[in-house]
Amino acid sequence: MRFLALIGALAIVAAIGAAVYFFGGFYSVAAQYDDPAPVNWALVQARTRSIDRHAKDQPPGDLQSRVEAGGRAFATRGCPTCHGAPGVEWAKFSEGLNPSPPDLKDVAKDLEPQQIFWVVKNGIRMTGMPSFAGAGAPDDEIWSIAAFVKKLPEVKEEDYKSWTTAAAPAGQSAAETPAPKP
Ligand code: HEC
């Protein structure tokens, strides 16, 4: 009995300590510093497992035919700002995001199209990755974006440029055109 009482007392002390630490403002929310390695490891595990478990939607038919339209949507939705694109640098400010946005051509080979679809649709909480469903993008467009991202390691700069400038109004590149408001 005494042992159980000790465990109970320790749990209460730990709960009070955590409350003081977080609600007392001692925990730093600064984005400038990296998390300790074990925290970072745990967050990456949680993200990967969560995406694996949730990404169940199947692609609506052939994704190959959507790559070009996906490239245009990628540009107009603003993805290059944070992730860059073939021949397009990411905006400098995105280097200050924590976690930092990955170069998508490096991660595309490890991701299934349905996982890319899920991430783009839903976003990733507590990171800079927005939910594009929340930003008004329909599923059909998000599937095209997923098709393009999956293809990214092979997309040449010239192709990306021609796909994204063809759709833009004269004198303006598509990468600079803000997405239409939903
Ligand atoms: C404001 C910056 C920002 C914008 C805009 C943005 N992203 Fe992200 N994105 C991020 C960040 C930050 C992460 C990393 C999240 C993490 O580490 O958990 C991320 C992660 C991702 C991932 C997951 C990579 C992985 O390894 O699991 C994909 C896929 C992705 N973004 C695609 C896109 C696409 C496509 C768009 C445009 C429709 C887009 N992002 C727009 C910031 C952004």
Side-chain angles (χ1 to χ4, degrees), residues 2 12-13 17 40 65 83 85 91 110 126 128-129 134 138 150 166 169 171 175 180:
R2 289 177 69 101
I12 291 170
V13 170
N40 189 46
S65 59
H83 292 287
D110 298 326
M126 289 182 281
M129 177 60 196
K150 184 70 195 162

Side-chain angles (χ1 to χ4, degrees), residues 2 4 8 15 26 39 49 53-54 56 70 75 79 89 111 122 145-146 151 153 160:
R2 289 177 69 101
L4 287 183
F26 294 98
V39 175
R49 303 281 157 77
R53 184 172 290 275
H54 286 93
K56 299 288 181 220
C79 318
E89 276 292 307
L111 295 169
N122 296 286
I145 294 175
K151 194 80 182 170
Y160 180 73

Side-chain angles (χ1 to χ4, degrees), residues 40 43-44 47-48 51 73-75 77-83 93-94 97-104 107-108 110-111 115-117 119-120 124-130 132 137 141-142 145-146 148-149:
N40 189 46
L43 291 173
V44 170
R47 179 196 68 201
T48 313
I51 295 171
F74 187 89
R77 291 284 174 186
C79 318
T81 320
C82 289
H83 292 287
F93 81 79
S94 77
L97 287 169
N98 182 1
S100 53
D103 189 338
L104 293 176
V107 295
D110 298 326
L111 295 169
Q115 294 172 324
I116 301 171
F117 171 81
V119 168
V120 176
I124 304 179
R125 193 179 279 265
M126 289 182 281
T127 77
M129 177 60 196
F132 283 87
E141 182 183 338
I142 298 175
I145 294 175
F148 171 77
V149 171

